Amino acid sequence: MDLYFSPLACSLATRIALYESGTPANYIRVDRLSKKVEDGSDYYAVNPMGQVPMLRTDSGEQLTETSAILQYVADLDEDAGLAPKSGLDRYRLQQWLNFITTELHKAVFYPLFSPDSNDGAKAFALQIADKRFDYADKYLSGRAFLLDRFTVADAYLTTVLGWTRAVGIDLDRWPALKAYASRMRARPAVARALAEEYPLYEAQAAGQGTA
Ligand SMILES: N[C@@H](CCC(=O)N[C@@H](CS)C(=O)NCC(=O)O)C(=O)O
């Protein structure tokens, strides 16, 4: 299995999920702006959207979209408990994956990081961020995880919260979210993923952003 990733981008969530379940994979780095794969080839030839993550399964199927990839990885090893198997709990997981991907990742962070963005788009993203962070903060007050245990939704939320400082969003305003992020970063799989990707991120051209 191959995971195409860029350092500290949303693909980090899949790396965390793979480490949490102990599932082996090859990690193939993509430069987020030049769209070059680490072997110098053109990433658009692999994924016409030019985005990470992209997972190539052992049978050669290519899967995109973080929420789908995370559920695929979780289902590879049900014993790891990274996703509820069925029923309302599974829909609850999808509720959070969709919230993170649409309301946080794309609505807030994409305009803040994209080199094609502009000041108006950035101001609007910051304006709508508060309501979304308020909602997640209130939900996580008194809860350890998004569901009743660590799931792939936590891997994704942890990844997204890791971008706040780079865009000037101060998590001090949301104590439950701040405490949650710091608890998640202390998990061995998360700490390992961050320790491996951070130096790669630093080596990338400065100021590229992530989302
Ligand atoms: N809808 C995709 C979005 C993936 C995405 O936005 N990836 C970012 C990194 S976090 C990316 O590759 N950005 C570069 C670009 O859009 O050109 C998903 O949910 O996986």
Side-chain angles (χ1 to χ4, degrees):
M1 190 160 52
D2 298 326
L3 176 69
Y4 287 81
F5 79 100
S6 297
L8 302 188
C10 47
S11 43
L12 176 70
T14 303
R15 184 191 289 267
I16 290 170
L18 289 163
Y19 287 177
E20 286 277 351
S21 63
T23 305
N26 305 311
Y27 294 87
I28 302 174
R29 185 157 39 90
V30 177
D31 186 281
R32 189 179 146 269
L33 292 186
S34 72
K35 307 299 180 192
K36 293 283 183 212
V37 183
E38 61 188 52
D39 66 2
S41 60
D42 180 12
Y43 184 54
Y44 282 118
V46 179
N47 177 5
M49 284 294 288
Q51 294 178 324
V52 293
M54 208 220 52
L55 192 79
R56 186 179 297 110
T57 69
D58 286 340
S59 58
E61 294 289 337
Q62 296 194 173
L63 197 59
T64 59
E65 300 303 318
T66 301
S67 299
I69 293 172
L70 286 172
Q71 291 183 76
Y72 176 85
V73 168
D75 290 344
L76 285 175
D77 181 1
E78 288 187 345
D79 292 343
L82 293 177
K85 289 178 190 156
S86 61
L88 186 63
D89 287 346
R90 184 64 177 231
Y91 299 120
R92 193 69 73 200
L93 175 81
Q94 292 173 354
Q95 171 192 313
W96 280 110
L97 289 171
N98 282 325
F99 175 81
I100 298 161
T101 205
T102 60
E103 303 297 339
L104 296 179
H105 182 178
K106 284 297 156 178
V108 175
F109 289 97
Y110 182 71
L112 294 171
F113 278 128
S114 172
D116 301 324
S117 187
N118 57 44
D119 289 347
K122 289 181 187 185
F124 182 69
L126 287 173
Q127 182 191 317
I128 64 168
D130 284 7
K131 183 178 178 187
R132 288 152 177 79
F133 279 79
D134 287 349
Y135 171 71
D137 186 70
K138 191 167 173 207
Y139 179 82
L140 279 168
S141 297
R143 283 187 169 90
F145 306 105
L146 289 170
L147 274 65
D148 61 352
R149 55 174 296 160
F150 184 92
T151 65
V152 288
D154 295 300
Y156 197 3
L157 184 56
T158 301
T159 297
V160 167
L161 292 177
W163 301 335
T164 49
R165 191 179 301 175
V167 296
I169 293 176
D170 186 355
L171 274 187
D172 280 348
R173 291 175 55 201
W174 295 283
L177 270 180
K178 187 177 180 186
Y180 166 87
S182 117
R183 276 198 316 278
M184 294 303 113
R185 281 197 304 271
R187 293 179 69 84
V190 178
R192 177 184 164 204
L194 286 170
E196 289 175 1
E197 290 207 4
Y198 195 74
L200 300 174
Y201 173 77
E202 285 206 305
Q204 233 176 216
Q208 278 192 13
T210 52

